[in-house]
Amino acid sequence: MEALKQRIRTSGRALNSQVLLVDMFLNNQVDCALMDEIGEEFKRLFEAEGVTKVVTIESSGIAPAAMTSLRMGVPMIILKKATSVILSDGILQTEVFSFTKRTSYQLTLKTEFIQPGERVLLIDDFLANGEAAMGASKLIERAGGKVVGIGAVISKNFQPGMQRLKEAGYNVKSLAEIVNMGEGFVEFADNEGEKA
C-alpha cells in the first residue's frame, strides 16, 4: 500500500535492524485518515472470505482493526493482554511472548464473542516473529472460529513470522512488507533502498 509506505518513509524511524518507530501515525499518535485507508485495503484483500468478525490484540492493532470492521460492516473483538477481575468466566487464554516488551503475557479471549463457525479476520499492527498472531489464531480456533485471514499493517519479512504463519496454512497479507532495515533505512519488498 503506497500511502502507508510513504508515511513510513516520512514519519517512521528505523532505530536498528529490529525496531521501527511508527509512533507518529500508528501506535501513540494515530492518523485516522490513514487508518481508514488501511481499513479499506484490508476489506479489499479479504472481502471474498465471508468475514463475520474482525479480531485484534490490544492496543496498537485497535485503530486499523476498527476501521477494517467499520468498512466490512462486522463487529470487532479485542483480545486482552492484561488479566482482569471481570474477565474470569467464559474465557480462553494462551501465553504469548512479546518481542517488543521482552516479556510474556496471557492473551485472553472472552468466548461469548466468537461463536462456532465464525469466519474471523485477525488484524495486527506488526508481524515479526508471529507469536502474537499464532497465539490469537489458536484462541480463535479453540473457541470454534475459523481464521480466514491475517492482516498485518507492517511485516518484517526478514523475521520468521510471515513464513511461520504461511507454513501453518494461514492466508496472510501485509500492507508494507519490509525485507531489510537498519539505522536510518528501510527496504520494502517491492521498493528496495527506501529511506526511513
Side-chain angles (χ1 to χ4, degrees), residues 9-24:
R9 291 180 197 114
T10 59
S11 301
R13 198 175 77 189
L15 299 182
N16 53 46
S17 64
Q18 302 297 309
V19 179
L20 174 65
L21 287 182
V22 289
D23 55 357
M24 288 293 294

Side-chain angles (χ1 to χ4, degrees), residues 13-145:
R13 198 175 77 189
L15 299 182
N16 53 46
S17 64
Q18 302 297 309
V19 179
L20 174 65
L21 287 182
V22 289
D23 55 357
M24 288 293 294
F25 63 91
L26 181 59
N27 55 20
N28 282 74
Q29 177 171 273
V30 176
D31 181 335
C32 292
L34 179 61
M35 293 307 113
D36 190 41
E37 289 182 58
I38 285 169
E40 182 61 30
E41 183 64 6
F42 279 138
K43 176 187 175 188
R44 186 187 70 77
L45 291 171
F46 294 106
E47 63 188 338
E49 300 298 333
V51 173
T52 60
K53 297 275 173 73
V54 171
V55 172
T56 193
I57 300 168
E58 65 178 356
S59 63
S60 297
I62 293 173
M67 294 304 187
T68 303
S69 71
L70 182 65
R71 291 293 188 150
M72 297 186 101
V74 299
M76 177 185 73
I77 298 162
I78 302 169
L79 303 181
K80 303 293 186 175
K81 292 180 181 177
T83 56
S84 166
V85 293
I86 61 170
L87 285 178
S88 57
D89 294 326
I91 63 169
L92 293 173
Q93 292 184 308
T94 191
E95 187 170 288
V96 172
F97 180 76
S98 169
F99 171 79
T100 309
K101 299 202 176 13
R102 302 269 188 227
T103 187
S104 294
Y105 58 89
Q106 286 295 320
L107 191 60
T108 303
L109 166 65
K110 198 164 183 182
T111 55
E112 70 181 274
F113 299 122
I114 299 283
Q115 300 301 311
E118 294 269 21
R119 298 179 62 80
V120 177
L121 173 59
L122 177 63
I123 300 291
D124 208 357
D125 60 340
F126 270 97
L127 174 56
N129 292 317
E131 292 292 320
M134 191 65 79
S137 297
K138 296 303 177 199
L139 282 180
I140 292 161
E141 290 161 357
R142 282 172 51 199

